[in-house]
Amino acid sequence: MIQKADRLNSVTEYYFSTKLREVAALRNEGKPIINIAIGSPDLAPPKTVIEALANTSILPTSHQYQSYQGIPEFRESVAGFYKKHYNVALNPVNEILPLMGSKEGIMHISMAFLNKGDKVLIPNPGYPTYASVTKLVEAEALAYNLNEANNWLPNFEELEKEDLSKVKIMWVNYPHMPTGAVASKENFKQLIAFAKKHNILVVNDNPYSFILNDNPISILEVEGAKDVAIELNSLSKTFNMAGWRVGMVVGDSEIIKTILQVKSNMDSGMFLGIQKGAIAALNCSKDWFNELNAIYVKRRKLVWQIFDALGCTYDTEIGGLFVWAKLPEGRKAGEFTDELLYEKDVFITPGIIFGTNGEGYIRSSLCVAEKVLEEVLSRLTTTNN
Ligand SMILES: Cc1ncc(COP(=O)(O)O)c(C=O)c1O
């Protein structure tokens, strides 16, 4: 047997990758499992997106390798989108790099900037990929606490007490997954000042701006942000295109060039049809967001009822593609979600997978049709199930 690389000793398989195998096995045994755990949009992208893909794919000229930086029209559409929705000016020539989803960007950015032994500030709770990629590149993950009392925002007083001398990157993600918390422009200003003081690259991972959020903002709106901050964005949630794998990293041209130095060695451009579809999506009017959010509003009401039935509490002011809820006092997230899975055939995410500060919480997705959520509710409120 060939020995696997040492770097794999520090990471395990992604939680959903293993848990979904278990869910599939239970389904094979005949269990009617309902999955309300995962944020994979179940609705279709805009019609113009599908048409753009279809029209492009039938052209014989569409099938060659594509530019490493994406076609100019795609980058121009990203620049237009950032100007229209965030009032951020980006140079489409060199401040935008298309990605196959923002998840791959986390690896490219880490490979581009981290040496063995460098430290990385990671939100706890937060998207698990920040920590696992940090470990894969042999840097050190330094968790920073987010909690309800602080509205899930970084506590700079606490951070200043740490030895930050080896910190090179800080991952932030507002609107925040899994809690749905948002950062204000003032919060981003503080982050930029902190990053400048300690010479840290701040990366805001921003895929949830448009989901149940009245005021989408970008960290690059802060004056001088480009000196120390870049932003990941994605079409996965905004336009129901998670399976397309299309997103982007934006920011200062030198930083983007450094990321391209990694990425251009990893893949050979994005299928033209996907780029054309992405352009159509980015050019959608605001009606698209209103229609999408109207559906999520209805679903969220049902999820709140599900959480009421489970004796959980939650913040009704918070948006995003998920509902984050606090378990009844003393309950552990893993036990609670396993009970739901084995006794009620409902799969929901335990907050602990997002870090120790997620203990005592669970997360439900809004990517589930109303009638399915109604079925979950009925399973929880019918005593003989
Ligand atoms: C916080 C966060 N960042 C990044 C991603 C990955 O998104 P993408 O589909 O663009 O790779 C997700 C997906 O769930 C996420 O929740």
Side-chain angles (χ1 to χ4, degrees), residues 101-103 106 127 130 173 177 205 207-208 234 236-237 242 245:
S102 52
K103 192 172 186 178
I106 298 169
Y127 186 47
Y130 310 136
N173 160 226
M177 197 291 298
D205 183 14
Y208 295 104
S234 169
S236 292
K237 325 284 172 169
R245 312 309 302 132

Side-chain angles (χ1 to χ4, degrees), residues 25-26 35 76 98 122 155 176 190 201 205 234 251 255 265 268 278 282 285 295 299 312 326 344 364:
L26 290 168
N35 177 352
E76 279 153 20
I122 308 238
N155 180 336
H176 182 239
Q190 281 179 299
L201 175 68
D205 183 14
S234 169
I255 299 178
N265 282 293
S268 301
L282 292 165
S285 76
I295 296 170
R299 292 176 174 186
C312 297
K326 195 169 189 164
K344 302 285 182 188
S364 170

Side-chain angles (χ1 to χ4, degrees), residues 141-257:
L142 200 63
Y144 63 91
N145 289 317
L146 303 179
N147 50 49
E148 211 170 320
N150 215 19
N151 296 321
W152 309 102
L153 290 162
N155 180 336
F156 292 103
E157 247 176 68
E158 198 175 282
L159 275 169
E160 291 288 358
K161 290 183 192 143
E162 300 272 350
D163 174 8
L164 300 171
S165 55
K166 284 192 151 185
V167 173
K168 215 153 168 206
I169 291 182
M170 177 175 188
W171 292 98
V172 298
N173 160 226
Y174 292 103
H176 182 239
M177 197 291 298
T179 66
V182 289
S184 64
K185 193 162 170 188
E186 194 48 46
N187 298 137
F188 279 148
K189 267 188 195 161
Q190 281 179 299
L191 261 166
I192 296 299
F194 172 80
K196 286 192 174 173
K197 179 172 168 198
H198 296 284
N199 196 25
I200 295 172
L201 175 68
V202 173
V203 191
N204 185 41
D205 183 14
N206 192 11
Y208 295 104
S209 309
F210 297 93
I211 310 296
L212 297 178
N213 178 27
D214 293 337
N215 185 24
I217 64 171
S218 159
I219 196 165
L220 299 182
E221 287 177 35
V222 174
E223 216 186 306
K226 277 187 197 165
D227 298 343
V228 285
I230 55 175
E231 189 159 86
L232 287 169
N233 216 319
S234 169
L235 280 73
S236 292
K237 325 284 172 169
T238 311
F239 297 106
N240 299 334
M241 292 168 72
W244 288 55
R245 312 309 302 132
V246 53
M248 65 293 267
V249 56
V250 301
D252 169 77
S253 60
E254 281 306 310
I255 299 178
I256 296 296
K257 197 165 133 197

Side-chain angles (χ1 to χ4, degrees), residues 77-91:
S77 297
V78 173
F81 184 85
Y82 259 74
K83 186 74 199 154
K84 177 170 160 192
H85 295 287
Y86 304 121
N87 199 22
V88 167
L90 294 171
N91 184 342

